[in-house]
Amino acid sequence: MGERSRPLGGATAAAAGAAAVAGRAGLLLTGLLMAGCDPVGGGQLRWVRQGDVVLRETHRSGRFADDALEEASGAVVSVGEPGVFWSQNDSGNDETLFAFDSTGRALGRVDVKGVRNRDWEALATGPCNEGQCVTIGDVGDNAAIRGTLTLYQLAEPRTTASTVRVLRSLDVRYADGSHDVEAMYAGADGGLWLVTKRPARGGGGAWRPVRVYHVPRAAWEQGGVYTAAVVDSLPLIPERGTAHDWVTDASLSAPLVDGRRRLALLSYGAVHVFDADPATGRPGALVARCALPIREDTAEGLTWLADGRLLVVTEGRQGAIYVGRCP
């Protein structure tokens, strides 16, 4: 489970292979827990609890070679260039997209012109008027004080490009008030889904499940500020005192052999896999939950690979990149 230097093949949006029953997915690390040993990162098991199913076949595939990418807060596979992934820095950094391969090798930087990076926390790829686009989500809001957020849509650049311009932008507000969001993904119909990150209290004072918002493709053409209503909640409950279930990214698989899709949500401590509507991407039933057997507490980017595995990226200079399966 050490470092591997060969880039992974297949960088189109991924098919996740038929899922096994969640109870059979992963390893039980009882012996490792008792020893306090981390099979991937060489330190204490930060996130794995007694009896947890963990991300299978986990290995560190590499580290980011570009030192400028030190706050990686998203990950998407390239639609046009096999073997390429894109990421971005968050929170007031330069307006730049970074290309890399699965080992972390730097493949290029592209400056996004005419926009500001207030807190770029999310990336998604999906259909648009021009074919396939990258959407940047300037949706970070740690203090939950922003009245509106902004989405930027652009044609996916080539790794040989130096700049790219935004095709269109959309201001969004949430119908029930401000939230911090870092997870965003696109459905096959071009609609976008956003999932809240942090703990929030429900009416009775208990911690509330994360909420899901939908921005339809048609919203880009309406003008003005689009108000996104709560359309769902998921059985994932962030709590104070532990960041285990604070949601940091999302990725929708390509269709499986039976036509279904899988949605993967990343939290600091686990990957959570759901069924998803193949046409819209709307999340369905929970399929599996796999703890991250890593020592970092900065997992903030996630994307499916073509063979059904998941690639996870972490923040920090020379941040680690992991690959594993769930379930």
Side-chain angles (χ1 to χ4, degrees):
M1 293 187 179
E3 297 253 353
R4 296 190 184 179
S5 58
R6 175 186 281 187
L8 299 166
T12 57
V21 178
R24 299 202 309 264
L27 304 170
L28 293 179
L29 296 186
T30 304
L32 289 169
L33 283 165
M34 292 174 64
C37 175
D38 185 339
V40 175
Q44 294 296 309
L45 283 167
R46 181 183 297 271
W47 300 116
V48 182
R49 300 170 291 202
Q50 182 69 37
D52 274 356
V53 171
V54 308
L55 197 68
R56 296 186 295 125
E57 303 172 22
T58 304
H59 68 272
R60 188 170 58 222
S61 63
R63 292 185 178 276
F64 287 122
D66 191 335
D67 285 345
L69 181 56
E70 57 182 339
E71 294 188 63
S73 293
V76 293
V77 294
S78 169
V79 175
E81 294 184 88
V84 175
F85 302 84
W86 293 97
S87 188
Q88 86 291 354
N89 284 320
D90 62 19
S91 195
N93 284 281
D94 290 341
E95 293 76 21
T96 302
L97 296 178
F98 296 82
F100 63 98
D101 70 13
S102 63
T103 71
R105 181 168 62 101
L107 300 178
R109 299 182 192 174
V110 179
D111 293 331
V112 184
K113 294 298 185 180
V115 296
R116 173 191 172 199
N117 180 354
R118 182 170 177 181
D119 198 357
W120 289 7
E121 288 286 1
L123 290 180
T125 56
C128 64
N129 294 344
E130 293 73 20
Q132 289 284 324
C133 283
V134 174
T135 300
I136 300 169
D138 194 335
V139 293
D141 189 10
N142 290 349
I145 57 173
R146 296 177 65 178
T148 59
L149 302 311
T150 304
L151 308 178
Y152 300 108
Q153 202 167 70
L154 54 142
E156 183 191 323
R158 306 292 291 185
T159 54
T160 54
S162 59
T163 63
V164 64
R165 289 199 170 272
V166 167
L167 297 171
R168 58 189 64 85
S169 63
L170 176 66
D171 290 332
V172 176
R173 69 165 63 96
Y174 304 118
D176 59 340
S178 300
H179 298 283
D180 190 23
V181 167
E182 296 188 6
M184 178 181 73
Y185 66 97
D189 62 354
L192 291 165
W193 301 85
L194 299 106
V195 184
T196 57
K197 174 182 181 178
R198 295 177 181 269
R201 299 281 190 184
W207 297 117
R208 189 177 67 199
V210 297
R211 291 187 168 184
V212 181
Y213 301 83
H214 185 235
V215 177
R217 182 171 174 174
W220 294 94
E221 313 301 332
Q222 292 177 2
V225 178
Y226 181 79
T227 300
V230 181
V231 296
D232 211 340
S233 63
L234 298 174
L236 180 55
I237 303 176
E239 298 181 5
R240 299 284 182 198
T242 174
H244 189 286
D245 292 329
W246 293 24
V247 178
T248 58
D249 205 5
S251 182
L252 184 68
S253 77
L256 308 180
V257 293
D258 60 2
R260 295 177 300 159
R261 290 179 183 257
R262 291 282 189 259
L263 166 66
L265 293 185
L266 178 67
S267 65
Y268 287 120
V271 172
H272 315 257
V273 178
F274 296 83
D275 271 324
D277 184 281
T280 66
R282 181 167 183 152
L286 179 68
V287 174
R289 193 188 318 269
C290 303
L292 294 176
I294 66 175
R295 61 190 176 94
E296 291 87 356
D297 60 358
T298 56
E300 294 216 354
L302 170 81
T303 192
W304 289 98
L305 301 177
D307 62 2
R309 292 181 296 170
L310 290 153
L311 181 138
V312 175
V313 305
T314 63
E315 278 193 338
R317 183 163 294 188
Q318 298 182 358
I321 303 171
Y322 294 97
V323 172
R325 290 188 185 274
C326 181

